[in-house]
Amino acid sequence: MPGAATAVVVDSRLCTQHAEGPAAVLAIGTANPANIVYQDGFADYYFGLTKSHRSGIEKRYIHLDEKLIREHPEIIDKHMPSLETRVDIVTTEIPKLAESAAQKAIAEWGRPATDITHLIFSTYSGCSAPSADLKLASLLGLNPSVSRTILSLHGCSGGGRALQLAKELAENNRDARMKAKSSAMDCLDGAGAIIVGADPLVDGERPLFEMVPTLIKDNIRPCLLNTFRSVGNMDPNWNDLFWAVHPGGRAILDNIEGELQLQPAKLAASRHVLSEYGNMSGTMIAFVLDELRRRREKEGDEHQQPEWGVMLAFGPGITIEAIVLRNPLS
């Protein structure tokens, strides 16, 4: 039948070519507002007086400053409605902060922004129309045909979920290059951008971390064991890995370190990011990965670094996003 033959031809043209290898992080960019607030003063007095554990945070980056408060006194006046003002500020400023992080990642990647085929935008900062991902695509000058996906309300696991989706798209669409972007909370404290792609790599592309994902909602040890079974490693030694853990708070890091009996150095990158930036929700994982690669490069002899690692991000539920990472240079 002519109709059937035509359908077969059309279907074959729509088939997607798969990539030749696993997805990898190809570039990382981060950005913060200019304002820095140190967590001292009353906080130090209180923790010293009560002998409580400190949060592990030394300073934060925020968009709020005196000029903004003078222009919008309703932000700090509890008797005045401020929701509309806050939404307007977030709607305007989030794409700008995201652009700053994305430009750094694109510059490191070394290819034009128009080569990005998919944009994944994870945010915990409300919604608007036109959406923040569309505004970011315009600011970056992405190709009008770029495939856009926006993820909302994943909380602190948003960055991990964006990387999971980027991996799936990269490995199932030959030559696809994702920009997985995670924005901060309503306080506008940070943004991270990560470019993800799979083999075949083009000239100038250098994989930073290879990714193998899974999603588990139980507890940390079964989550990790199931994750590593998916790549054939049945019983890893936790201290033989490198760790990129979302530092949602000091207690989270302390509990993971204690439960898995990790050496203190294993979570040093996560603790450093928590100290320097506070909890920036889903965007934190980009900062931790960036800090990990900085330490790897600073220590030198990348071939002596652990070959395998794990990324953990946590969200409402409680949900654990876990991705096995591999150092491609080891």
Side-chain angles (χ1 to χ4, degrees):
M1 294 175 61
T6 301
V8 171
V9 171
V10 171
D11 185 65
S12 67
R13 290 175 180 175
L14 292 176
C15 287
T16 301
Q17 284 188 313
H18 288 229
E20 296 175 2
V25 173
L26 302 179
I28 304 172
T30 62
N32 299 97
N35 304 317
I36 301 176
V37 178
Y38 286 86
Q39 292 217 166
D40 53 9
F42 178 77
D44 282 345
Y45 169 77
Y46 174 81
F47 286 120
L49 183 65
T50 61
K51 294 182 172 56
S52 301
H53 292 295
R54 294 187 61 190
S55 64
I57 302 170
E58 295 297 331
K59 64 178 184 288
R60 295 176 181 269
Y61 292 77
I62 62 173
H63 180 70
L64 190 67
D65 59 13
E66 292 183 5
K67 178 176 181 295
L68 192 60
I69 291 176
R70 286 197 302 270
E71 294 173 350
H72 301 283
E74 66 273 20
I75 291 177
I76 59 173
D77 189 337
K78 64 181 181 181
H79 299 295
M80 299 175 65
S82 63
L83 178 60
E84 185 175 347
T85 296
R86 296 174 187 270
V87 169
D88 287 344
I89 293 171
V90 167
T91 300
T92 301
E93 298 300 329
I94 277 184
K96 295 179 183 178
L97 195 62
E99 180 195 14
S100 180
Q103 292 288 13
K104 294 176 184 177
I106 292 171
E108 180 184 358
W109 182 39
R111 291 174 58 180
T114 50
D115 284 356
I116 292 174
T117 59
H118 296 69
L119 172 62
I120 304 168
F121 195 108
S122 174
T123 182
Y124 198 36
S125 303
C127 59
S128 63
S131 57
D133 61 323
L134 179 59
K135 294 177 181 177
L136 176 60
S138 177
L139 289 170
L140 294 175
L142 301 187
N143 194 306
S145 64
V146 66
S147 177
R148 295 182 291 109
T149 301
I150 191 163
L151 306 176
S152 299
L153 302 180
H154 281 255
C156 294
S157 65
R161 179 85 285 270
L163 285 175
Q164 298 265 18
L165 180 56
K167 172 190 164 54
E168 294 161 9
L169 290 172
E171 291 181 347
N172 288 283
N173 294 271
R174 187 180 177 90
D175 297 327
R177 291 297 180 266
M178 319 293 134
K179 196 177 80 62
K181 188 270 164 196
S182 180
S183 75
M185 299 180 287
D186 288 344
C187 53
L188 286 170
D189 47 14
I194 296 176
I195 293 177
V196 174
D199 286 339
L201 301 178
V202 303
D203 291 342
E205 288 187 330
R206 180 174 68 94
L208 301 175
F209 302 99
E210 292 179 354
M211 302 187 296
V212 181
T214 189
L215 171 62
I216 304 293
K217 294 184 179 179
D218 273 329
N219 55 66
I220 190 67
R221 192 177 291 272
C223 168
L224 290 170
L225 290 174
N226 286 335
T227 300
F228 277 91
R229 287 191 186 106
S230 71
V231 294
N233 190 338
M234 297 298 290
D235 189 19
N237 184 325
W238 306 128
N239 279 299
D240 288 343
L241 308 174
F242 62 87
W243 292 81
V245 179
H246 166 78
R250 180 177 176 179
I252 289 177
L253 299 178
D254 289 346
N255 287 335
I256 292 175
E257 184 177 277
E259 174 68 21
L260 302 178
Q261 297 184 339
L262 296 179
Q263 299 165 358
K266 291 298 177 179
L267 299 183
S270 294
R271 293 188 188 278
H272 174 78
V273 171
L274 178 65
S275 172
E276 292 295 299
Y277 303 98
N279 185 0
M280 298 179 292
S281 191
T283 197
M284 291 286 277
I285 204 62
F287 281 72
V288 175
L289 288 172
D290 196 27
E291 180 63 23
L292 266 179
R293 67 88 171 261
R294 290 179 191 275
R295 291 173 179 241
R296 187 172 70 185
E297 294 169 355
K298 182 179 180 180
E299 292 170 1
D301 198 359
E302 294 175 332
H303 295 276
Q304 297 301 315
Q305 304 300 314
E307 178 179 7
W308 294 98
V310 63
M311 185 217 76
L312 294 173
F314 309 96
I318 185 93
T319 297
I320 301 175
E321 294 280 354
I323 298 181
V324 173
L325 302 175
R326 179 179 175 272
N327 177 4
L329 301 177
S330 63

